[in-house]
Amino acid sequence: MDIVSLIAKPGALDAALVDSLRNAWGGGVVVWLSEGEAAEFALLAAPSNFDAVRADIANQVDLNLLPAEGRRKTMLLADMDSTMIEQECIDELAEEAGVGPHVKAITARAMNGELDFEGALTERVALLKGLPETVIAKVLAERITPMPGGRTLVATMTRAGGHAALVSGGFTAFTEQVAARIGFAEHRANTLLAEAGHLTGEVARPILGREAKVTALEEITARLGIAESDVIAVGDGANDLGMLDRAGMGVALHAKPSVQERCALRVNHGDLTALLFLQGYSRAEFAA
């Protein structure tokens, strides 16, 4: 048994569209998880034209197909930059250093998988050399904003007994604060090196990238005594693909094109609460 999930911006999900798809595919009763925002119905088998229909309505609705069994996960594994927050921290630091456009261009290419992540990170961090450490607090206070729905996602899964881990190719100076603000139980990231109150332009080794995120998935699930199938992972960049492939549910959130191509589950219209809808939570079940 499969579940067809439809998610749109609040008020933008047309009931007529939902009913039309259900009727065309011979689905079960439509369940509205949030009126005008999220609905689903069961199917005995995946429709042969699913990909074509998904492409046809992609500009208005996130259409996903997922197994009915084991939908509610006991662990959230999340990327930080452009996933749990709306910015890329290194790009914001670069703005303060006066090299914003150059660094943003490298970041975009790295996240789309066009550049080696470790090499791209090393190159960008080198451009931050001499920046005062105090600029990190300034960026956190003035430039960093949480992605909508993140606190609700973490709070709802935590209340249900889940564990939330933040894993980033960014920096611990940011993940520590972001994890605390949003409610994550733990975080992992790279360490920016500093000397005499200024960034040295280097990052501590080993660098946490794609494989380190997979390692985090393996180590944390082993410690908790749960299976990788019990994990829902979310990210937007090429360095997230390893954990998205391995997790029981891997979600590409507002992701780069190369990432969306590789992920069966995609969210482009919903916010982070879409991860709750994909697990079958109704809005009435969300933690405040």
Side-chain angles (χ1 to χ4, degrees), residues 6 14 49 51 61 98 112 149 169 172 175 178 181 190-191 212 260:
L6 298 98
D14 185 358
N49 65 338
D51 289 337
V61 176
N112 199 41
T172 54
T175 57
V178 171
R181 291 179 186 180
N190 293 301
T191 301
Q260 297 211 38

Side-chain angles (χ1 to χ4, degrees), residues 220-232:
I220 298 172
T221 53
R223 190 183 77 226
L224 297 176
I226 62 174
E228 292 180 7
S229 59
D230 295 322
V231 178
I232 181 169

Side-chain angles (χ1 to χ4, degrees), residues 90-105:
I90 195 165
D91 291 354
E92 302 306 318
L93 287 173
E95 287 291 341
E96 295 291 334
V99 290
H102 180 50
V103 168
K104 284 182 179 179

Side-chain angles (χ1 to χ4, degrees), residues 71-279:
R71 288 175 69 192
R72 295 209 174 180
K73 304 304 181 184
T74 54
M75 176 177 156
L76 169 67
L77 189 65
D79 173 47
M80 180 179 69
D81 296 88
S82 297
T83 300
M84 296 307 302
I85 60 175
E86 296 181 301
Q87 298 78 21
E88 294 282 338
C89 289
I90 195 165
D91 291 354
E92 302 306 318
L93 287 173
E95 287 291 341
E96 295 291 334
V99 290
H102 180 50
V103 168
K104 284 182 179 179
I106 299 172
T107 299
R109 294 182 64 198
M111 291 303 97
N112 199 41
E114 299 171 30
L115 299 174
D116 170 69
F117 177 80
E118 183 168 333
L121 181 67
T122 301
E123 180 181 354
R124 287 174 292 166
V125 170
L127 295 171
L128 305 179
K129 184 176 181 179
L131 204 62
E133 275 190 286
T134 53
V135 80
I136 294 174
K138 182 176 185 289
V139 167
L140 277 163
E142 300 176 2
R143 291 178 174 270
I144 302 303
T145 53
M147 190 70 75
R151 290 190 182 99
T152 299
L153 167 64
V154 173
T156 301
M157 290 190 66
T158 300
R159 187 176 68 179
H163 183 85
L166 187 66
V167 288
S168 173
F171 312 115
T172 54
F174 290 92
T175 57
E176 181 178 13
Q177 295 298 317
V178 171
R181 291 179 186 180
I182 298 177
F184 282 90
E186 61 180 288
H187 67 96
R188 297 186 183 192
N190 293 301
T191 301
L192 278 173
L193 298 179
E195 189 174 293
H198 291 79
L199 300 183
T200 65
E202 297 180 347
V203 62
R205 266 52 174 184
I207 289 177
L208 190 154
R210 176 171 172 161
E211 292 307 314
K213 292 188 177 189
V214 173
T215 298
L217 171 65
E218 295 171 342
E219 292 179 351
I220 298 172
T221 53
R223 190 183 77 226
L224 297 176
I226 62 174
E228 292 180 7
S229 59
D230 295 322
V231 178
I232 181 169
V234 60
D236 74 300
N239 66 322
D240 298 315
L241 281 170
M243 71 175 186
L244 296 179
D245 287 343
R246 288 277 293 270
M249 194 180 286
V251 183
L253 180 84
H254 305 160
K256 308 302 181 288
S258 63
V259 179
Q260 297 211 38
E261 290 173 5
R262 289 277 302 275
C263 290
L265 300 179
R266 309 165 192 165
V267 172
N268 290 304
H269 298 286
D271 62 19
L272 280 163
T273 59
L275 274 69
L276 294 172
F277 293 138
L278 289 173
Q279 294 179 76

